[in-house]
Amino acid sequence: MRSVGRRLCALGALVAALALALYVPRAGSPLPECPPELDCRFVPAAYAQTDPADPDTYGNYDVADRPADGNDIRYIVVHNTEVNYDRAIELFRNPRKGAAAHYLVRSSDGQVTQFIPTKDVAFHAGNYWFNTHSIGVEHEGLLAEGDRWYTDAMYRASARLVRYLAARYHIPLDREHILGHDELPGLTGKRTAGMHYDPGPYWDWARYFQLLGAPLPATPATRGTPSVLTIAPSFPANSPPLSACAGNNCADQPDQGSNAVPLRAAPADDAPLVGDTLLHPDGAPGTDKLSDWSARAVAGQSFAVARRHGEWTGIWFGGRLTWLRDPRSQVSVMGDPSGPLLTPRPGRATIPVYGAAAPEAGAYPEGVPAGAITPLGYTIPAGQVYLGVRRVRSSDYHARFAADQNPDGNRRVAGDRELWQISFNHRRVFVDAADVTVASPGSGPRGWAPPGWAPAGWAPPAIRLAGPPPARPDV
Ligand SMILES: [Zn+2]
């Protein structure tokens, strides 16, 4: 049985050899769901039980009837394979892998192969709640060699596909709904620490959103009180130090355009990189390893501004004050928030964060086991502010293997609990709506001043509580 209490890995960096139990496709494969101008085909992923004694052991997806069954499709998740196109197809056709995406895009020419109908729940995100609400799009290539694998043909075909899917399922074309696999949390803290980090720092989000017809913010707000910073480096010119490691052997990455901006614990070039408390529970700083996403903000992510200090801007990131150096707005732009700025409700010293919008235990009908609501282990202290992007009503989906591919035996659980999706650190998380209130930036200086406008030590106006968030969820 699958639910938010269970997890399956996506393909991601899986390259371990497994005996390939070839899946025999059913007759009459469906037509691909693609815009007509794409070179697109359908090759069915494996859907088979892999332990004859255990009907709950199977791959590589769950049959469903999205969105008619109540499981709305609200995210596209961008992946890369770490193996070549043909090998990825083999893996998705092997039920023992337990993972497959809906689509795969070829590097050389942008050919698209669909494996799983979009109505079904592919095991691609490493987080079953996100699987339930997303479509997974894999891209052939190695993330450490993004400039070689992420080709113009690939970006164009993928963007055309995502535009088609977004229009069909009413998915907003923004960086809170078109997400990298590396931007998703796990369902627990331990799983979050092990989550994949594809498509990585060399995926050109700015170019991708240009092709989607929804360019990322590139110019500062010209009026109002800029209270939110959006990461916006020039991709070709941005090449922060990064290293690739095999065991203890690490080598500097060659220069190539990057979406990533490093974050430090203090406003100084020699200050340590911020360490993520799940990746570095001993309190060690972050590193420049490709696999260490502790201190890496990504193009298109938005955070509340907390301080200015000379050429440095302080943002709330991962439950702490974190600094990025941006002397001439080269790597970020400030503007007005696209949603409410949320802060812990008065009287709460800290609040927990979650990896899914899971229902309260009482929402589960008899016979359907409740998924545990487990905080991730991060906390948000009182006084910190995060951008709320979507108020979500909690839900879960309990599915079982159905040899006849009929989803009627599956159960969707809708809870009364509501949560906000927030931009938290490198990854998005959820906070309980009952734990937060809306923070207003207050009456700050009117109008936008050029970079360097703020005196050292400038802080935005004191947070003023503006009452509870809107009651109506947008799902
Ligand atoms: Zn992935």
Side-chain angles (χ1 to χ4, degrees):
M1 183 178 288
R2 314 293 176 193
S3 73
V4 293
R6 300 281 301 266
R7 169 195 182 242
L8 282 166
C9 292
L11 177 64
L14 290 177
V15 288
L18 265 182
L20 188 65
L22 271 181
Y23 170 74
V24 179
R26 291 150 57 89
S29 292
L31 292 171
E33 300 164 275
C34 281
E37 62 270 34
L38 285 187
D39 173 12
C40 191
R41 60 187 188 150
F42 194 99
V43 176
Y47 184 67
Q49 197 172 320
T50 51
D51 178 353
D54 180 6
D56 287 339
T57 303
Y58 60 95
N60 288 337
Y61 62 93
D62 274 323
V63 289
D65 187 21
R66 302 188 306 171
D69 59 6
N71 293 312
D72 59 320
I73 300 171
R74 60 177 85 122
Y75 306 101
I76 305 279
V77 180
V78 171
H79 303 261
N80 79 285
T81 56
E82 295 298 309
V83 295
N84 71 30
Y85 193 68
D86 292 341
R87 177 66 177 145
I89 292 169
E90 283 180 10
L91 294 171
F92 292 164
R93 290 166 60 78
N94 177 357
R96 296 183 188 283
K97 295 305 297 184
H102 292 91
Y103 296 92
L104 168 65
V105 185
R106 186 158 65 190
S107 172
S108 61
D109 61 357
Q111 186 192 63
V112 175
T113 300
Q114 184 178 5
F115 301 90
I116 297 167
T118 56
K119 70 177 184 58
D120 292 333
V121 175
F123 302 159
H124 66 96
N127 175 324
Y128 193 75
W129 189 89
F130 274 97
N131 284 343
T132 304
H133 296 289
S134 67
I135 292 171
V137 182
E138 285 275 2
H139 298 83
E140 180 190 21
L142 307 179
L143 69 83
E145 300 174 2
D147 59 349
R148 178 180 157 213
W149 289 94
Y150 302 155
T151 61
D152 184 64
M154 171 181 275
Y155 279 120
R156 287 181 182 279
S158 178
R160 183 68 195 91
L161 174 65
V162 168
R163 279 171 58 194
Y164 160 86
L165 294 170
R168 182 166 160 193
Y169 293 115
H170 310 291
I171 300 168
L173 287 173
D174 63 36
R175 287 285 284 115
E176 305 303 333
H177 299 87
I178 313 296
L179 291 163
H181 191 189
D182 58 328
E183 295 174 309
L184 306 184
L187 289 172
T188 65
K190 192 174 173 200
R191 291 170 180 174
T192 299
M195 284 288 280
H196 293 162
Y197 47 95
D198 59 305
Y202 306 123
W203 180 263
D204 189 347
W205 284 110
R207 172 158 171 65
Y208 196 53
F209 272 77
Q210 285 278 359
L211 292 168
L212 288 172
L216 298 180
T219 53
T222 54
R223 61 174 61 195
T225 306
S227 51
V228 166
L229 170 152
T230 298
I231 305 298
S234 163
F235 184 86
N238 182 54
S239 185
L242 292 167
S243 63
C245 303
N248 289 328
N249 294 327
C250 295
D252 289 346
Q253 280 287 101
D255 276 352
Q256 53 187 310
S258 174
N259 61 42
V261 173
L263 301 172
R264 298 192 180 276
D269 285 325
D270 58 356
L273 292 170
V274 172
D276 184 272
T277 54
L278 297 179
L279 284 180
H280 302 284
D282 59 355
T287 70
D288 67 4
K289 295 178 182 177
L290 285 174
S291 58
D292 187 347
W293 39 267
S294 295
R296 215 171 287 152
V298 183
Q301 291 184 332
S302 295
F303 302 96
V305 174
R307 302 271 192 286
R308 290 276 288 186
H309 184 87
E311 296 181 339
W312 294 80
T313 304
I315 56 173
W316 300 119
F317 180 92
R320 61 185 291 180
L321 178 61
T322 301
W323 296 88
L324 70 92
R325 185 168 180 272
D326 191 13
R328 289 177 296 281
S329 284
Q330 290 173 324
V331 297
S332 71
V333 296
M334 285 198 213
D336 299 321
S338 56
L341 293 170
L342 303 174
T343 192
R345 191 174 285 278
R348 301 293 306 271
T350 64
I351 60 169
V353 306
Y354 301 90
E360 67 281 4
Y364 288 80
E366 207 174 318
V368 180
I373 303 174
T374 312
L376 292 182
Y378 300 116
T379 57
I380 297 178
Q384 293 194 7
V385 176
Y386 291 84
L387 179 62
V389 293
R390 187 158 190 150
R391 187 168 173 137
V392 177
R393 175 156 287 162
S394 54
S395 64
D396 195 0
Y397 189 57
H398 278 246
R400 309 198 74 158
F401 181 69
D404 60 357
Q405 300 225 5
N406 184 337
D408 288 352
N410 297 341
R411 297 289 294 272
R412 182 176 185 275
V413 179
D416 290 330
R417 185 177 182 235
E418 293 176 9
L419 299 97
W420 280 94
Q421 179 184 329
I422 62 169
S423 185
F424 179 65
N425 56 8
H426 186 91
R427 301 177 185 272
R428 310 304 191 277
V429 300
F430 297 92
V431 290
D432 198 307
D435 287 342
V436 294
T437 191
V438 174
S440 161
S443 52
R446 304 299 296 177
W448 173 253
W453 54 279
W458 174 86
I463 294 165
R464 193 177 64 204
L465 300 182
R472 186 179 157 79
D474 65 355
V475 296

